[in-house]
């Protein structure tokens, strides 16, 4: 590779294909003038405007709004409004999350085979699935007029919503790689995205919570306790209380559907901003003769890539711990002082934000590292992002399933405002000891992460040289191990 400080690639033994030798990169990347005539011009072209970054970030916010509302309130809705047992609610949550995770590689398979269109290769997927996503989200909060198939109803629409969310999230997250070839610009866009997504998470819980707040007012508890009391004074009093309870339940169902409709409107707003303000670029590092890497071959190579495995294992453990919002929950349990509680909440929020931002900022580095080692594997971005979303959803599904099943075994009573001491102890363990152990293990794995800032810059420089000076060759065959170092 000329100009990289090492040997140039040598031709392979077989006709019609090049088998490049290992190339040593310099300890410090050469001056950017070595890249040729127009390094500064290319850098200007690769820069993203603040408007583009904001539009990209806003486009993903509705998914976080809906996900947050679902995470905070779906379990409550199934237990207290739909009157599903904790066991069935646990099945709905776990199977739905698992189904959403299973659809990730399927979505990655079809998206990786997509052809380039006038609006891009990823944008049509996001535009096409949004209307169906809104419909499935609304019916997920709808109370059907029958009893026998109610669990199947919620399971069906929750699974459908999770699958459609995947069809949106995989191309949206992979779009980071096609906004700009400049790593700093991609990191900046990711920072914008994660900031808005954190705000969307807070907005989802707050917006949905404010709308449905009266459905869980204290009157609801009073009515429930009165109805469940064994020493009710008269049948007339029971009938009156029953009527009041049914009225509150009907009111609650209406409020949940209103909240679903509002969040559906947020989806429309977000996709419109994304479509208008973001321009998707074609693969900046693809060589002319390169063809898209077969999905399953790319998946096998992905699962053998050391930096990706370490990054994924570490942050999956950490994200599983955060599914309980552990720092804030522990603060509420252990800190009686209100001012100190707010301080700890602020610090905990920064920690959670960092744990959400870091993996998505580090994943492009992993993809670039893979591309340098496999210079003729076109289109690995979708595979990396699809598999990462898959593992993230699996960890969330396992976490939520375990927490809900633990409540079932601890004796959680549906509709009761006061729970037993066993339930309270179970909650303390779930939001304290278990997440702490997972975080310690995750950070320990991250200590062995091989990509440093120095190696990242060398990789970026080598990819730029590869794009601008390397001759196009045929794709590497299934068994070839020739790589660039």
């Amino acid at each position: 590779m000329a100009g990289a400080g090492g040997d140039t690639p040598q031709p392979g033994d077989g006709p019609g294909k090049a088998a490049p030798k290992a190339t040593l990169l310099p300890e410090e990347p050469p001056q950017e003038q070595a890249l040729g005539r127009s390094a500064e011009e290319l850098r200007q072209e690769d820069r993203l405007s603040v408007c583009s970054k904001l539009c990209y970030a806003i486009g993903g916010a509705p998914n976080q709004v809906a996900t947050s509302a679902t995470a905070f309130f779906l379990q409550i809705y199934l237990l207290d409004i739909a009157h599903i047992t904790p066991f069935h609610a646990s099945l709905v949550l776990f199977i739905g999350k698992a189904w959403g995770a299973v659809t990730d590689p399927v979505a990655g398979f079809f998206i990786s085979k997509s052809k380039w269109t006038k609006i891009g290769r990823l944008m049509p997927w996001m535009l096409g699935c949004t209307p169906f996503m809104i419909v499935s989200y609304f019916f997920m909060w709808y109370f059907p007029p029958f009893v026998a198939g109610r669990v199947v109803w919620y399971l069906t629409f929750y699974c459908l919503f999770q699958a459609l969310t995947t069809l949106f999230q995989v191309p949206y997250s992979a779009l980071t790689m096609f906004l700009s070839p400049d790593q700093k610009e991609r990191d900046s866009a990711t920072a914008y995205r994660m900031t808005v997504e954190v705000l969307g998470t807070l907005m989802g819980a707050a917006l949905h919570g404010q709308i449905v707040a009266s459905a869980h007012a204290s009157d609801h508890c009073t009515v429930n306790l009165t109805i469940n009391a064994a020493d009710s004074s008269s049948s007339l009093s029971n009938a009156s209380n029953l009527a009041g309870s049914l009225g509150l339940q009907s009111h609650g169902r209406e409020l949940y559907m209103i909240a679903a409709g509002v969040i559906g409107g947020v989806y429309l707003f977000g996709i419109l901003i994304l479509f208008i303000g973001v321009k998707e670029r074609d693969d900046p590092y693809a060589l002319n003769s390169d063809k898209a890497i077969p999905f399953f071959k790319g998946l096998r190579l992905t699962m053998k890539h050391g930096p990706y495995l370490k990054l994924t294992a570490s942050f999956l453990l950490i994200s599983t711990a955060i599914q309980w919002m552990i720092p804030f929950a522990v603060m509420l349990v252990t800190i009686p002082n209100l001012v100190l509680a707010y301080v700890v909440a602020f610090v905990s929020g920064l920690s959670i934000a960092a744990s959400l931002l870091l993996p998505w900022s580090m994943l492009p580095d992993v993809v670039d590292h893979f591309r340098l080692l496999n210079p003729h594997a076109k289109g690995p971005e979708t595979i990396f992002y699809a598999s990462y979303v898959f593992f993230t959803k699996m960890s969330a599904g396992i976490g939520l399933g375990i927490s809900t099943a633990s409540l079932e075994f601890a004796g959680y009573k549906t509709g009761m405002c006061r729970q037993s001491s066993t339930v309270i102890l179970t909650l303390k363990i779930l939001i304290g000891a278990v997440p702490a152990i997972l975080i310690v293990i995750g950070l320990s794995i991250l200590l062995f992460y091989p990509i440093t800032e120095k190696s990242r810059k060398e990789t970026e420089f080598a990819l730029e040289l590869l794009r601008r000076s390397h001759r196009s060759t045929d794709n590497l065959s299934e068994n070839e191990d020739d790589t660039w170092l």
Side-chain angles (χ1 to χ4, degrees), residues 379-438:
E381 299 85 3
T382 303
I383 301 174
F384 271 96
Y385 280 88
S387 57
Y388 187 80
V389 173
F390 165 78
F391 288 121
T392 302
K393 288 185 177 180
M394 278 300 294
S395 67
I398 293 173
L400 290 174
I402 291 176
S403 64
T404 311
S406 299
L407 293 180
E408 169 78 12
F409 293 128
Y412 178 87
K413 301 297 182 183
T414 303
M416 299 298 293
C417 296
R418 292 185 180 274
Q419 301 293 334
S420 66
S421 59
T422 305
V423 174
I424 296 175
L425 177 61
T426 302
L427 286 173
K428 289 182 178 180
I429 294 175
L430 289 174
I431 66 176
V434 175
I437 294 173
L438 293 177

Side-chain angles (χ1 to χ4, degrees), residues 10-81:
Q10 301 296 326
D13 296 330
K17 59 181 180 181
K21 301 280 188 181
T23 301
L24 297 178
L25 292 178
E27 292 186 357
E28 295 292 337
Q31 298 297 323
E32 292 185 355
Q33 286 79 359
L35 292 178
R37 47 158 192 88
S38 56
E40 184 61 31
E41 295 177 5
L42 290 176
R43 188 181 298 107
Q44 292 293 336
E45 294 177 359
D46 294 339
R47 286 180 179 173
L48 298 172
S49 66
V50 174
C51 180
S52 296
K53 296 174 184 177
L54 282 175
C55 290
Y56 172 65
I58 292 173
N63 241 3
Q64 301 305 314
V65 172
T67 301
S68 174
T70 303
F72 277 93
F73 291 98
L74 183 59
Q75 181 176 345
I76 299 174
Y77 172 82
L78 294 176
L79 294 173
D80 292 346
I81 303 298

Side-chain angles (χ1 to χ4, degrees), residues 285-292 371 375-378 472-475:
Y285 294 119
L287 304 178
N288 292 332
S289 63
D290 289 345
K291 298 178 181 179
R371 299 202 66 163
H376 303 288
K378 181 181 180 181
S472 299
T473 57
D474 294 332
N475 281 325

Side-chain angles (χ1 to χ4, degrees), residues 72-126:
F72 277 93
F73 291 98
L74 183 59
Q75 181 176 345
I76 299 174
Y77 172 82
L78 294 176
L79 294 173
D80 292 346
I81 303 298
H83 292 292
I84 292 177
T85 65
F87 175 74
H88 287 137
S90 177
L91 282 181
V92 171
L93 294 174
F94 176 75
I95 295 176
K97 284 288 185 181
W99 176 253
V102 169
T103 57
D104 285 315
V106 177
F109 173 79
F110 287 106
I111 294 172
S112 65
K113 292 183 174 296
S114 301
K115 302 297 183 181
W116 181 264
T117 67
K118 293 182 179 180
I119 59 175
R121 185 167 60 94
L122 304 176
M123 189 68 72
W125 286 93
M126 293 178 278

